[in-house]
Amino acid sequence: MTYINAVGDTTGEVEPVWRLPEAMYKLRPDAARELDGVNEVAWNTIDPALLELIRLRMAWLIGAQDGGGDHTHVAHTRRIGLPEHKVRDLASYSTSAEFSNVERDCLAFAEQFVMDVSQTSTEMRDTLAGHFGQDLVNDFVTAVYVVEFTQRLQLVSRALFASTTGEAPPGQDTTNTSPRTGSLQELLDEYQSAVMRGEALDPITTELVRLRCARTHRCRICQTLRMADAKEAGADDAMTAKIDFYEKSDLPEQYKVALRITDAFIIRPDTMDDIVVEQAHSHFSSAQLAELCLDITKWSTQKIHVAQGLDGVEDAAQRQGRAALPTDEAGVAIFHFDGDGQFGFGNANQRAGTQAG
């Protein structure tokens, strides 16, 4: 099915609501374009009026107060046929007669997804299955993730790159807007691989950020895994134990700054104040900051599994087509990403460069 044009306006006068700050297209054109493709398919898979209600509600929850106010967003809302009075009543959706049962249930799910995904109830999951059918629930949950983390990426990257535009790598085309084909899951997989092909960040920073996301979102399997080249670089249990109370720890300042950015990103992006932005640019290059932001979106795909109660060890093994996850001599499952950004267990075929995904 097709609901809206990929850019939301056939005249080209209005940019899509998922458009990132220009610096992201210049610093990481591959991943930025892949995310555009994921958004395009998400908005063509789920009823765009419903998804827009979810996007606007999420915008309020994460501090994007202008989520429905500027020219792009207003034009988008009108083009997809969402009544303005419904937008005005969105804060009272749970009691307003303007909203259907489907809209109320989906908005309640989206709120839980944003605030504490680990507390998503079986009743919520069953309700979604009743509305969409079990086969389409994953697409809906994935679209909710895409809408949430695109907005978070927009807010944080806008704060980080307000005074910089970045430079496009030689030979990279940042203007390609060709429509993408494939399922939502296939395009999300391609986006994650593009993110993991980055080589700007060191493996220890990457691992600390990954585990901060895992612990905040309470992803069971993600908390137990360890990244191969981070472990080899010195990210042992003593270091990772400091993540939960990193501000009071003796972790190097650059790691603390990365974790501050992570916390702002996955909790309240509007807390990215000038002090944190200054710290970010003092310890990381623009390329590293762009990669850090993209990594956070990749690690946070775990919320799709957590929301559906599919974040256990047995669930991860099943997704990998295994009876059980392979572990090292200490009983820990080690993983890596190869040069194409593809996931694998063990230490072999680690990607070139300094970053592990």
Side-chain angles (χ1 to χ4, degrees):
M1 67 188 77
T2 299
Y3 288 112
I4 59 172
N5 178 269
V7 295
D9 187 289
T10 56
T11 67
E13 295 176 357
V14 179
E15 289 186 338
V17 292
W18 57 80
R19 178 76 181 179
L20 301 175
E22 195 61 32
M24 293 300 296
Y25 294 94
K26 294 182 177 180
L27 292 164
R28 286 298 302 275
D30 53 344
R33 289 198 303 265
E34 292 289 354
L35 185 57
D36 282 349
V38 176
N39 270 282
E40 179 184 337
V41 172
W43 284 87
N44 280 279
T45 300
I46 303 302
D47 178 358
L50 174 60
L51 211 54
E52 177 67 354
L53 287 173
I54 289 170
R55 187 188 70 81
L56 292 172
R57 187 60 179 164
M58 285 179 163
W60 184 83
L61 291 171
I62 66 176
Q65 303 297 352
D66 67 342
D70 68 21
H71 173 62
T72 294
H73 298 150
V74 171
H76 171 74
T77 298
R78 290 174 177 171
R79 183 165 294 278
I80 62 177
L82 182 60
E84 292 184 17
H85 66 269
K86 185 170 282 191
V87 174
R88 289 195 300 270
D89 287 350
L90 186 54
S92 58
Y93 76 86
S94 62
T95 57
S96 172
E98 296 293 337
F99 295 84
S100 67
N101 288 334
V102 173
E103 290 168 334
R104 290 193 191 96
D105 291 338
C106 289
L107 284 163
F109 172 85
E111 285 189 345
Q112 189 66 60
F113 193 89
V114 169
M115 294 186 293
D116 186 355
V117 68
S118 69
Q119 295 302 305
T120 305
S121 66
T122 300
E123 180 182 1
M124 279 185 165
R125 297 178 192 123
D126 291 344
T127 298
L128 289 183
H131 290 316
F132 294 100
Q134 193 60 54
D135 292 343
L136 293 180
V137 167
N138 187 68
D139 277 349
F140 173 75
V141 176
T142 300
V144 169
Y145 155 82
V146 171
V147 169
E148 179 191 1
F149 275 84
T150 297
Q151 288 196 87
R152 290 184 181 277
L153 180 57
Q154 288 171 323
L155 289 170
V156 174
S157 58
R158 191 177 299 142
L160 287 173
F161 303 119
S163 60
T164 181
T165 58
E167 295 182 0
Q172 292 282 5
D173 175 15
T174 64
T175 61
N176 183 3
T177 58
S178 301
R180 299 302 307 275
T181 59
S183 71
L184 182 54
Q185 186 59 57
E186 289 169 342
L187 292 185
L188 182 60
D189 289 344
E190 291 178 14
Y191 167 68
Q192 293 182 79
S193 294
V195 171
M196 290 293 95
R197 288 195 290 271
E199 299 178 349
L201 276 180
D202 68 276
I204 292 180
T205 299
T206 302
E207 177 72 332
L208 295 178
V209 168
R210 183 188 72 82
L211 287 170
R212 185 64 173 177
C213 292
R215 294 176 186 180
T216 301
H217 299 144
R218 300 181 188 179
C219 177
R220 291 174 291 167
I221 181 59
C222 306
Q223 295 181 67
T224 65
L225 300 175
R226 292 297 180 268
M227 193 178 302
D229 54 355
K231 184 177 181 182
E232 292 178 358
D236 56 16
D237 290 344
M239 175 178 283
T240 59
K242 300 173 183 178
I243 295 173
D244 291 341
F245 304 99
Y246 67 87
E247 290 288 13
K248 297 180 179 180
S249 76
D250 59 356
L251 285 172
E253 185 64 16
Q254 72 181 70
Y255 298 149
K256 292 183 179 181
V257 171
L259 291 171
R260 287 173 198 141
I261 295 170
T262 303
D263 281 353
F265 198 119
I266 63 178
I267 301 173
R268 280 291 297 239
D270 59 336
T271 62
M272 274 283 295
D273 58 25
D274 293 341
I275 294 175
V276 176
V277 171
E278 182 178 353
Q279 293 171 343
H281 287 282
S282 294
H283 290 277
F284 299 98
S285 68
S286 292
Q288 289 173 323
L289 290 173
E291 186 163 311
L292 174 59
C293 289
L294 292 171
D295 279 0
I296 294 169
T297 69
K298 186 271 182 287
W299 304 134
S300 296
T301 58
Q302 62 203 204
K303 292 184 72 172
I304 299 170
H305 303 305
V306 175
Q308 298 180 81
L310 301 175
D311 59 314
V313 173
E314 65 283 358
D315 301 306
Q318 185 176 14
R319 286 193 293 274
Q320 293 290 321
R322 299 170 179 266
L325 297 183
T327 58
D328 63 10
E329 62 280 0
V332 177
I334 306 296
F335 73 98
H336 66 274
F337 291 90
D338 64 22
D340 293 326
Q342 298 297 309
F343 176 92
F345 283 107
N347 295 280
N349 301 317
Q350 293 174 32
R351 72 164 108 172
T354 58
Q355 183 202 357

Short mmCIF file of all heavy atoms in Angstrom, two decimals, residues 336-357:
data_model
loop_
_atom_site.label_atom_id
_atom_site.label_comp_id
_atom_site.label_asym_id
_atom_site.label_seq_id
_atom_site.Cartn_x
_atom_site.Cartn_y
_atom_site.Cartn_z
N HIS A 336 31.12 -9.48 16.97
CA HIS A 336 31.88 -8.49 16.20
C HIS A 336 31.05 -8.09 14.99
O HIS A 336 30.00 -8.68 14.72
CB HIS A 336 33.21 -9.09 15.72
CG HIS A 336 33.02 -10.20 14.74
ND1 HIS A 336 32.83 -11.51 15.12
CD2 HIS A 336 32.96 -10.19 13.38
CE1 HIS A 336 32.66 -12.26 14.04
NE2 HIS A 336 32.74 -11.48 12.96
N PHE A 337 31.52 -7.10 14.26
CA PHE A 337 30.96 -6.72 12.96
C PHE A 337 32.09 -6.77 11.94
O PHE A 337 33.21 -6.32 12.22
CB PHE A 337 30.35 -5.32 13.00
CG PHE A 337 29.10 -5.23 13.83
CD1 PHE A 337 29.17 -4.93 15.17
CD2 PHE A 337 27.86 -5.48 13.26
CE1 PHE A 337 28.02 -4.85 15.95
CE2 PHE A 337 26.70 -5.41 14.02
CZ PHE A 337 26.79 -5.10 15.38
N ASP A 338 31.79 -7.31 10.75
CA ASP A 338 32.82 -7.37 9.72
C ASP A 338 32.89 -6.05 8.95
O ASP A 338 32.19 -5.08 9.28
CB ASP A 338 32.60 -8.57 8.78
CG ASP A 338 31.31 -8.47 7.98
OD1 ASP A 338 30.78 -7.35 7.81
OD2 ASP A 338 30.84 -9.52 7.50
N GLY A 339 33.71 -6.01 7.93
CA GLY A 339 33.91 -4.78 7.17
C GLY A 339 32.68 -4.28 6.46
O GLY A 339 32.61 -3.10 6.10
N ASP A 340 31.69 -5.14 6.25
CA ASP A 340 30.43 -4.74 5.62
C ASP A 340 29.37 -4.35 6.64
O ASP A 340 28.22 -4.09 6.28
CB ASP A 340 29.90 -5.87 4.75
CG ASP A 340 30.79 -6.13 3.54
OD1 ASP A 340 31.37 -5.15 3.01
OD2 ASP A 340 30.92 -7.30 3.15
N GLY A 341 29.77 -4.34 7.93
CA GLY A 341 28.80 -4.00 8.97
C GLY A 341 27.90 -5.14 9.36
O GLY A 341 26.86 -4.92 9.99
N GLN A 342 28.29 -6.38 9.02
CA GLN A 342 27.47 -7.55 9.33
C GLN A 342 27.84 -8.16 10.66
O GLN A 342 29.02 -8.31 10.98
CB GLN A 342 27.60 -8.60 8.22
CG GLN A 342 27.14 -8.12 6.85
CD GLN A 342 25.66 -7.79 6.82
OE1 GLN A 342 24.84 -8.60 7.23
NE2 GLN A 342 25.33 -6.61 6.33
N PHE A 343 26.84 -8.51 11.44
CA PHE A 343 27.02 -9.07 12.77
C PHE A 343 27.53 -10.51 12.70
O PHE A 343 27.14 -11.28 11.83
CB PHE A 343 25.68 -9.03 13.50
CG PHE A 343 25.68 -9.66 14.87
CD1 PHE A 343 25.93 -8.90 15.99
CD2 PHE A 343 25.41 -11.02 15.03
CE1 PHE A 343 25.91 -9.48 17.25
CE2 PHE A 343 25.39 -11.61 16.28
CZ PHE A 343 25.65 -10.83 17.40
N GLY A 344 28.38 -10.88 13.66
CA GLY A 344 28.82 -12.26 13.79
C GLY A 344 29.30 -12.53 15.20
O GLY A 344 29.72 -11.62 15.91
N PHE A 345 29.24 -13.79 15.62
CA PHE A 345 29.72 -14.16 16.95
C PHE A 345 31.20 -14.48 16.90
O PHE A 345 31.75 -14.89 15.88
CB PHE A 345 28.94 -15.35 17.49
CG PHE A 345 27.57 -14.99 17.99
CD1 PHE A 345 26.45 -15.35 17.28
CD2 PHE A 345 27.42 -14.29 19.18
CE1 PHE A 345 25.18 -15.02 17.73
CE2 PHE A 345 26.16 -13.95 19.64
CZ PHE A 345 25.03 -14.32 18.92
N GLY A 346 31.88 -14.32 18.05
CA GLY A 346 33.28 -14.64 18.16
C GLY A 346 34.18 -13.46 17.81
O GLY A 346 33.73 -12.32 17.64
N ASN A 347 35.48 -13.73 17.68
CA ASN A 347 36.48 -12.69 17.43
C ASN A 347 36.89 -12.60 15.97
O ASN A 347 37.58 -11.67 15.59
CB ASN A 347 37.73 -12.99 18.27
CG ASN A 347 37.45 -12.89 19.75
OD1 ASN A 347 37.40 -11.82 20.33
ND2 ASN A 347 37.27 -14.04 20.39
N ALA A 348 36.48 -13.55 15.16
CA ALA A 348 36.96 -13.60 13.77
C ALA A 348 36.31 -12.54 12.92
O ALA A 348 35.21 -12.06 13.20
CB ALA A 348 36.69 -14.99 13.19
N ASN A 349 37.02 -12.19 11.83
CA ASN A 349 36.48 -11.29 10.81
C ASN A 349 36.04 -9.94 11.34
O ASN A 349 35.06 -9.36 10.90
CB ASN A 349 35.28 -11.94 10.09
CG ASN A 349 35.66 -13.23 9.43
OD1 ASN A 349 36.71 -13.33 8.80
ND2 ASN A 349 34.81 -14.23 9.59
N GLN A 350 36.77 -9.40 12.33
CA GLN A 350 36.42 -8.10 12.83
C GLN A 350 36.64 -7.06 11.76
O GLN A 350 37.53 -7.18 10.93
CB GLN A 350 37.26 -7.75 14.07
CG GLN A 350 36.93 -8.65 15.26
CD GLN A 350 37.85 -8.40 16.43
OE1 GLN A 350 38.30 -7.29 16.61
NE2 GLN A 350 38.14 -9.43 17.18
N ARG A 351 35.84 -6.04 11.80
CA ARG A 351 35.91 -5.03 10.76
C ARG A 351 37.23 -4.26 10.81
O ARG A 351 37.84 -4.11 11.84
CB ARG A 351 34.74 -4.04 10.88
CG ARG A 351 34.88 -3.11 12.06
CD ARG A 351 33.94 -1.94 11.88
NE ARG A 351 32.83 -2.06 12.81
CZ ARG A 351 31.95 -1.10 12.99
NH1 ARG A 351 32.04 0.02 12.32
NH2 ARG A 351 30.97 -1.25 13.83
N ALA A 352 37.63 -3.77 9.66
CA ALA A 352 38.82 -2.94 9.62
C ALA A 352 38.54 -1.63 10.32
O ALA A 352 37.42 -1.21 10.47
CB ALA A 352 39.20 -2.70 8.16
N GLY A 353 39.62 -0.96 10.74
CA GLY A 353 39.45 0.35 11.35
C GLY A 353 39.42 0.23 12.87
O GLY A 353 39.72 -0.80 13.45
N THR A 354 39.01 1.31 13.53
CA THR A 354 39.13 1.38 14.99
C THR A 354 37.84 1.09 15.72
O THR A 354 37.86 0.85 16.91
CB THR A 354 39.60 2.78 15.40
OG1 THR A 354 38.66 3.74 14.90
CG2 THR A 354 40.96 3.08 14.83
N GLN A 355 36.71 1.13 15.03
CA GLN A 355 35.43 0.99 15.74
C GLN A 355 34.84 -0.39 15.58
O GLN A 355 34.87 -0.98 14.54
CB GLN A 355 34.40 2.00 15.24
CG GLN A 355 33.10 1.89 16.03
CD GLN A 355 31.94 2.45 15.27
OE1 GLN A 355 32.10 2.96 14.19
NE2 GLN A 355 30.75 2.31 15.82
N ALA A 356 34.29 -0.89 16.66
CA ALA A 356 33.45 -2.08 16.59
C ALA A 356 32.02 -1.65 16.74
O ALA A 356 31.72 -0.69 17.42
CB ALA A 356 33.82 -3.07 17.69
N GLY A 357 31.10 -2.37 16.09
CA GLY A 357 29.72 -1.95 16.17
C GLY A 357 29.02 -2.51 17.36
O GLY A 357 29.53 -3.27 18.11
#
